[in-house]
Amino acid sequence: MSAILILSLLFGGVLSLNNGLGRTPQMGWNSWNHFKCNVSDQLIRATADAIVSKGLDKHGYVYVNIDDCWAGSRASDGTIIPDPKAFPDMTALASYVHSKGLKFGLYSDAGEKTCAGRPGSLNHEVSDANTYAKWGVDYLKYDNCNNDSINPEIRYPVMRNALNKTGRPIFYSMCEWGQDNPATWAPTVGNSWRTTGDIGDNWNSMIGKADANNEWWKYAGPGGWNDPDMLEIGNGGMSITEYETHFSLWAIMKAPLLIGCDVRSINSEALRILTNDEIISISQDKLGVQGNKTKTSGSTEIWACPLADGSKAVVLLNRGTQMATITAEWSDIGLNNTMTAAVRDLWAHKDLGTMVGRVSASVPSHGVAMYRISLVMPQERQI
């Protein structure tokens, strides 16, 4: 039995949808946060070009996902038809995205209409799934509007079954908004499930989504992830410090990393944050244990999770309005305080040396410090 499997069993043994997808949290881009309904074939092609030209694909961002407002109508036989002006040829668009080495995603809704009033998939699941597979879709975000008050535990598995029967691997992202506690039933239905309503590009919304998502940390694991909604980094509503916090929390929570800004004109600071491979490595760690709050003291918090190589990821979070000194005792993160560990600062990209029992940092308002903590064996300390 592998070490990763043993650790997975120790930290929850979470059941998940067995479609072979989502073994680590999905990474990519989604149109909604920045563009809302202002989407088109031209925009998606340009976005795919930008993802590649700016090197985002090399850091793991591979899904290019169109959110609401692409659908136009249904044919007389019920087949879904894209908006003919905005998306004249969905197969050609998917092929273009694939030609860039990326994956292509679409949106629908487990209701009669989408949240923007376009045709939904309720009672059309099989037809729509087959159409998506024919077009070359790799990802489906499935929303929860206009649902005739039908229980989501009934509606969402219907699309799961329809997608699976197509024979095409399609990542199934459930957007149920956390209303019926999907973490408790969705792991065998979808590859990810929203635990919250929509995020806004501001501190209170972002930190509130992190708080809500934290409640369900034990239910996430390879194949199925808690989703506190998409990233707002680069949209301009938060400070650079707050965006670093946003990225750190989403990474340690194993939340989907879906860029929500206009990557064609992304600024250098947003690109720096989104391409921090040391932070991304925490998100994509194969053990797949969601980080959670292990200690709260006033306006400061410690978040931590175990990693596949035996190390720990740690975030020191300052929710307050003033600079704060935050200390994580090893006992706060599941270690013995007598142990010696090597500490790596993941934002400074710097080894801080070995420490015994604790790590401390001065953390700015709404900021974080993030570390990888690796135990040092006795023979290593003697060298």
Side-chain angles (χ1 to χ4, degrees), residues 313-335:
V314 180
V315 168
L316 310 184
L317 169 63
N318 178 9
R319 302 169 70 119
T321 59
Q322 304 293 326
M323 180 80 74
T325 299
I326 306 175
T327 299
E329 303 284 345
W330 286 178
S331 57
D332 297 328
I333 62 174
L335 300 175

Side-chain angles (χ1 to χ4, degrees), residues 35-289:
F35 293 98
K36 299 300 189 282
C37 276
N38 297 315
V39 289
S40 66
D41 178 287
Q42 182 180 12
L43 170 67
I44 301 308
R45 289 172 186 259
T47 297
D49 291 345
I51 288 171
V52 173
S53 67
K54 295 178 187 300
L56 285 161
D57 58 323
K58 299 300 190 294
H59 297 273
Y61 297 98
V62 295
Y63 286 106
V64 180
N65 298 339
I66 309 170
D67 209 281
D68 205 348
C69 304
W70 66 265
S73 60
R74 290 194 179 276
S76 58
D77 65 356
T79 301
I80 191 69
I81 300 173
D83 182 315
K85 292 183 178 180
F87 295 98
D89 189 336
M90 200 64 85
T91 300
L93 177 56
S95 294
Y96 185 83
V97 171
H98 291 152
S99 75
K100 297 293 181 178
L102 304 173
K103 297 182 183 294
F104 181 65
L106 283 182
Y107 162 104
S108 190
D109 190 284
E112 294 181 349
K113 293 184 178 182
T114 70
C115 297
R118 304 298 180 102
S121 291
L122 186 65
N123 300 320
H124 294 276
E125 293 88 353
V126 172
S127 173
D128 287 358
N130 289 334
T131 299
Y132 302 153
K134 179 181 177 181
W135 287 341
V137 170
D138 305 298
Y139 187 112
L140 179 67
K141 175 183 174 182
Y142 205 44
D143 218 335
N144 194 35
C145 288
N146 304 302
N147 56 46
D148 289 347
S149 299
I150 301 171
N151 192 304
E153 289 96 321
I154 295 173
R155 287 179 289 114
Y156 279 87
V158 179
M159 182 56 85
R160 172 201 62 190
N161 296 341
L163 292 172
N164 287 346
K165 287 179 181 178
T166 68
R168 182 177 180 82
I170 299 177
F171 190 105
Y172 188 27
S173 170
M174 299 168 53
C175 185
E176 186 266 5
W177 318 326
Q179 289 190 338
D180 278 39
N181 300 333
T184 63
W185 55 269
T188 58
V189 180
N191 296 113
S192 65
W193 47 89
R194 281 276 291 278
T195 55
T196 70
D198 287 0
I199 194 171
D201 188 17
N202 61 80
W203 170 261
N204 287 336
S205 177
M206 182 275 290
I207 204 69
K209 300 297 178 286
D211 289 339
N213 198 64
N214 177 68
E215 180 178 352
W216 307 104
W217 71 272
K218 291 182 180 180
Y219 294 89
W225 309 101
N226 290 313
D227 179 2
D229 205 7
M230 299 166 289
L231 297 169
E232 290 283 7
I233 297 159
N235 280 328
M238 287 184 266
S239 68
I240 293 170
T241 295
E242 290 169 339
Y243 280 144
E244 289 180 345
T245 296
H246 186 8
F247 198 60
S248 299
L249 290 176
W250 263 236
I252 202 167
M253 289 192 297
K254 308 299 189 293
L257 298 182
L258 295 174
I259 299 169
C261 69
D262 185 349
V263 295
R264 299 172 303 174
S265 57
I266 190 170
N267 65 61
S268 60
E269 284 297 332
L271 192 61
R272 174 186 64 82
I273 292 168
L274 290 167
T275 57
N276 184 327
D277 286 330
E278 296 199 65
I279 306 294
I280 292 171
S281 73
I282 304 304
S283 161
Q284 300 295 297
D285 182 74
K286 293 187 183 302
L287 183 59
V289 175

